[in-house]
Amino acid sequence: MMRMQPSVGALTGLEAALAALLDGVEPVAPTLLPLDQTLGKIGAAMPPLAHAQPIRDTAKTDGWACRALDLAGASAYSPLPLMAVPVWIEAGGAMPEGCDCVLDADLIDCSGPMPQALEEAAPGQGVRRAGEDMEAGRPLIIAGHRLSAADLLTVRSVGIGEIAVRAPQARLIDVAAPASDTFTAHFIADLARASGATVFDIETVTRDARSVAQALGNAAGDLIILIGGTGAGRADATADALAARGALIAHNIALQPGRTAAIGRLDAVPIIALPGAPDQAFAGFLALVQPAIDRLTGRSARRQTVLALERKISSTVGLAEIVLLKQEQDRWRPLATGDFSLEAIRLADAWLAIPGGSEGCAAGTAVGALVFDRSQMSQS
């Protein structure tokens, strides 16, 4: 395993750190889950649709199943007698043989000795044609995409009860802060779940290298995330624990916020240690954890929205700075750069990373920002 730890006081570039973290990491094997457990997960390849849907013509609405040719010339002013009472059909029911349209309930008068049509209809009126929803051979889900309620609707409509997903098992270790705050750990766990990972219960350990190293030894899964203890405080020992386990790749990343983050590898399992402050941990999640989860889930490239900046963004050369953005009509309004309030985190629609070699972006510059998943942030 490659070691990138620079000399004391130096920082590891974000791009180099991310490349080392993801080196050799492959998507986890697919697993079949019941539909009610798959919303928000990342879908894996499944056999294509065997038959076009619906299999045969069905009624779109409740009404009378008729043949359009038999209704020619019918109107409220000139009711057309019919040879037989049409077949009543409920919405979703299979159309009777020979029928190609559906009339509303009040357009057939059955009060007299012969039924009468009060309106004509075109072929296909009120009917969902066979194959109109989906053609045979189409994918039931799009592999690498996040499963939505519409995806589950499609799968349920063809009678399938399970979906193949890639759901990496993430182990989250909270290195207890002196104040015993746990809100950052819960925040990161929620973000990881929204990104498609399955998060075990948060394990809390005391703030010393031995306890952290022991927790690492007991950790199982596809990804390990540690929260807290990454700084230069006297009680901060997370990086030392990683080093003691022979797992440390780099500590102190050229990232703002999130500079004290660390990365490592325990056998084949990637490890990301995030600072304990919410804004620092959030930036580290976006820059390091989210790409790791995306690799493990086999997720397709995240959607970017390109808009012009409402105002200038200034950035420190040598640091990759995370910028939170709010969409204002056709422009991105920067909410925070390198230092986030909780309000900025809550209101952000998207984010971007200013590369370490850049001084920032001028007002009016078109930038591609990564849009937050709508379930990932409270604002969404």
Side-chain angles (χ1 to χ4, degrees), residues 44-99:
M46 292 182 65
L49 190 64
H51 304 286
Q53 296 295 318
I55 296 176
R56 56 181 302 179
D57 292 353
T58 59
K60 289 183 179 179
T61 61
D62 303 332
W64 300 99
C66 303
R67 189 174 70 141
L69 187 61
D70 296 339
L71 306 175
S75 71
Y77 301 101
S78 179
L80 180 69
L82 301 176
M83 297 302 295
V85 177
V87 177
W88 178 261
I89 191 170
E90 305 285 341
M95 290 292 292
E97 190 70 29
C99 297

Side-chain angles (χ1 to χ4, degrees), residues 47-349:
L49 190 64
H51 304 286
Q53 296 295 318
I55 296 176
R56 56 181 302 179
D57 292 353
T58 59
K60 289 183 179 179
T61 61
D62 303 332
W64 300 99
C66 303
R67 189 174 70 141
L69 187 61
D70 296 339
L71 306 175
S75 71
Y77 301 101
S78 179
L80 180 69
L82 301 176
M83 297 302 295
V85 177
V87 177
W88 178 261
I89 191 170
E90 305 285 341
M95 290 292 292
E97 190 70 29
C99 297
D100 60 5
C101 63
V102 177
L103 277 186
D104 290 344
D106 58 354
L107 297 180
I108 298 291
D109 181 5
C110 297
S111 62
M114 293 185 67
Q116 299 182 93
L118 307 180
E119 187 176 289
E120 58 184 3
Q125 178 176 314
V127 176
R128 188 173 302 281
R129 296 293 195 184
E132 185 176 321
D133 281 333
M134 288 186 71
E135 299 176 356
R138 293 287 296 166
L140 274 175
I141 60 169
I142 301 175
H145 282 225
R146 192 167 178 270
L147 293 169
S148 67
D151 293 317
L152 303 192
L153 168 66
T154 301
V155 174
R156 285 191 176 98
S157 71
V158 299
I160 294 176
E162 294 180 319
I163 297 181
V165 300
R166 298 186 193 273
Q169 306 290 305
R171 178 74 65 179
L172 202 148
I173 302 170
D174 187 22
V175 182
S180 299
D181 294 325
T182 62
F183 50 81
T184 299
H186 284 284
F187 178 44
I188 296 302
D190 290 341
L191 291 173
R193 292 188 185 99
S195 296
T198 298
V199 179
F200 295 106
D201 291 339
I202 299 170
E203 180 182 357
T204 302
V205 300
T206 55
R207 210 175 182 84
D208 62 83
R210 181 178 179 181
S211 297
V212 176
Q214 184 177 359
L216 286 170
N218 296 333
D222 305 300
L223 174 66
I224 300 172
I225 307 169
L226 297 101
I227 309 294
T230 63
R234 293 179 179 177
D236 290 337
T238 297
D240 291 340
L242 287 172
R245 291 282 309 179
L248 183 67
I249 294 176
H251 180 215
N252 292 329
I253 311 299
L255 175 68
Q256 185 65 26
R259 184 184 63 82
T260 64
I263 60 169
R265 190 76 68 87
L266 195 59
D267 296 326
V269 178
I271 302 172
I272 302 117
L274 302 175
D279 63 323
Q280 303 273 327
F282 184 44
F285 179 90
L286 296 175
L288 297 168
V289 179
Q290 191 165 268
I293 294 177
D294 287 354
R295 177 69 63 85
L296 290 166
T297 58
R299 179 173 180 148
S300 303
R302 287 178 176 264
R303 179 171 65 91
Q304 291 192 21
T305 298
V306 178
L307 296 174
L309 287 172
E310 183 179 275
R311 59 177 174 81
K312 177 182 178 180
I313 297 174
S314 296
S315 180
T316 303
V317 175
L319 290 176
E321 295 203 56
I322 305 298
V323 182
L324 299 183
L325 303 167
K326 178 75 175 173
Q327 185 173 349
E328 299 287 355
Q329 297 181 343
D330 61 346
R331 289 184 173 261
W332 287 128
R333 175 166 63 88
L335 291 177
T337 303
D339 184 20
F340 307 155
S341 67
L342 295 184
E343 182 77 349
I345 293 173
R346 186 175 70 91
L347 294 177
D349 292 321

